[in-house]
Amino acid sequence: MKKVVSIQDISCFGKCSLTVALPIISAMGIETAVIPTAVLSTHTGKGFENYTFRDLTGDIPAIAAHWKSMDLRFDGIYTGYLGSIEQVGIVSDFFDGFRSENNFIVVDPVLGDGGQLYAGFTTEFVAEMRKLCAKADYIIPNMTEVAFLLDLPYTEEYDEAYVHDVLRKLSELGCRTPVLTGVCYDKEHQGAVAYDSVTGEYYSSFGENVDKHFHGTGDIFSSVFTGAAALGKPLQRCLDIAVGYTLDCIEATIPHFEETWYGSCFELCIENLIKYVKE
Ligand code: PXL
């Protein structure tokens, strides 16, 4: 069986980070180990306030040392939301200890959305995340995260040439294949565009655009992308599965949006994901 380790927080309520990565990657038939980097009562996104936050950074080196003593190996290492500068450094050490010729690293540089950083993040934190991106094979930012990573103004008006240009610049941070999510060239379509900096090729996948914000879709996309890459699917297929399933989740959430405004109802279409993986 393929094995992936996901390193990110567990937001106890709110359908994101580990409560998304663990069920989704497992459903793809992949053994999913976790390193919870923090425990929060909810996520920190819009609508939640006064959440608790217990930092688990200090536990990570001991977990890594125990796993090393057992000679554990992973086909993929996938990080998402990280809570502090120190934590990003410790995750970077984990990469050094567990990366090999035979595995890959995915960094979802969770920083913000809608042109704004999430609560608690600073420009110093962005600088540290930029360094982590340099160690990844794949990074999966949205447009907001691109603006912060590349120190560019945030814009919702762009064309294909602009997207290709920022993807090239992201690869210059040191990562082979940046994947940009939430790309809209027109009001009808939304999708993802990737750049393989070794071959110089661009890949993209688009679906219908639903013009509303759904929390947690970035984590759904990155989890599916990571799972598909661990299964050895080609880059185009990884994009198609991740875009397709994320859109399924958005459509499944619409009838429940009043009640489930804080996350996306990925649970209601997990059978689609299992089908896509087998196609
Ligand atoms: O969905 C990304 C995410 C993960 N973890 C925490 C968050 C967020 C986004 O708001 O707050 C704690």
Side-chain angles (χ1 to χ4, degrees):
M1 259 178 101
K2 296 293 184 186
K3 255 197 217 77
V4 162
V5 56
S6 181
I7 308 176
Q8 49 187 325
D9 74 279
I10 183 151
S11 292
C12 300
F13 184 83
K15 302 212 239 198
C16 70
S17 46
L18 282 184
T19 64
V20 164
L22 190 50
I24 285 184
I25 303 172
S26 299
M28 298 174 83
I30 297 163
E31 181 177 343
T32 313
V34 298
I35 299 186
T37 54
V39 181
L40 291 84
S41 50
T42 65
H43 63 65
T44 69
K46 203 158 152 254
F48 289 131
E49 280 163 20
N50 305 321
Y51 43 82
T52 69
F53 185 104
R54 180 170 300 275
D55 185 17
L56 300 177
T57 306
D59 291 40
I60 303 173
I63 294 171
H66 183 209
W67 287 0
K68 265 286 159 205
S69 76
M70 296 163 67
D71 197 25
L72 287 190
R73 292 163 200 230
F74 298 96
D75 301 291
I77 303 169
Y78 157 44
T79 71
Y81 180 98
L82 299 173
S84 68
I85 290 178
E86 185 200 0
Q87 190 167 88
V88 178
I90 285 177
V91 167
S92 176
D93 295 341
F94 183 92
F95 288 176
D96 295 340
F98 285 85
R99 83 165 316 150
S100 77
E101 298 264 289
N102 305 316
N103 67 9
F104 65 88
I105 295 175
V106 177
V107 170
D108 181 348
V110 176
L111 295 170
D113 212 348
Q116 307 284 328
L117 289 178
Y118 287 131
F121 288 161
T122 60
T123 50
E124 290 76 24
F125 182 82
V126 172
E128 206 61 25
M129 190 57 97
R130 212 176 273 134
K131 286 196 255 166
L132 196 69
C133 288
K135 290 192 172 180
D137 298 286
Y138 303 95
I139 60 172
I140 313 186
N142 59 29
M143 271 293 179
T144 300
E145 290 153 352
V146 165
F148 285 100
L149 288 171
L150 297 180
D151 212 3
L152 294 171
Y154 172 70
T155 174
E156 292 177 4
E157 304 275 312
Y158 48 77
D159 57 11
E160 188 177 64
Y162 179 82
V163 165
H164 286 191
D165 187 49
V166 296
L167 282 165
R168 259 192 321 274
K169 290 190 171 117
L170 286 168
S171 73
E172 286 161 11
L173 295 176
C175 136
R176 170 173 174 161
T177 307
V179 180
L180 181 52
T181 59
V183 179
C184 290
Y185 294 137
D186 58 63
K187 286 198 166 58
E188 279 74 49
H189 303 93
Q190 183 171 166
V193 186
Y195 172 58
D196 182 334
S197 62
V198 171
T199 63
E201 276 184 81
Y202 294 91
Y203 298 81
S204 64
S205 187
F206 285 87
E208 180 204 341
N209 181 37
V210 180
D211 196 16
K212 194 175 169 100
H213 179 72
F214 296 85
H215 198 275
T217 49
D219 296 346
I220 293 170
F221 182 97
S222 297
S223 300
V224 175
F225 183 93
T226 301
L231 294 171
K233 310 270 184 208
L235 181 52
Q236 183 62 53
R237 187 79 194 126
C238 294
L239 290 181
D240 289 341
I241 297 176
V243 169
Y245 182 63
T246 304
L247 185 56
D248 292 348
C249 294
I250 287 172
E251 284 168 352
T253 307
I254 293 170
H256 303 278
F257 192 79
E258 290 279 300
E259 176 203 356
T260 318
W261 51 268
Y262 49 80
S264 301
C265 299
F266 68 91
E267 305 90 337
L268 297 177
C269 45
I270 214 127
E271 73 272 22
N272 297 11
L273 178 61
I274 296 168
K275 193 177 83 199
Y276 297 153
V277 164
K278 290 184 178 154
E279 272 169 6

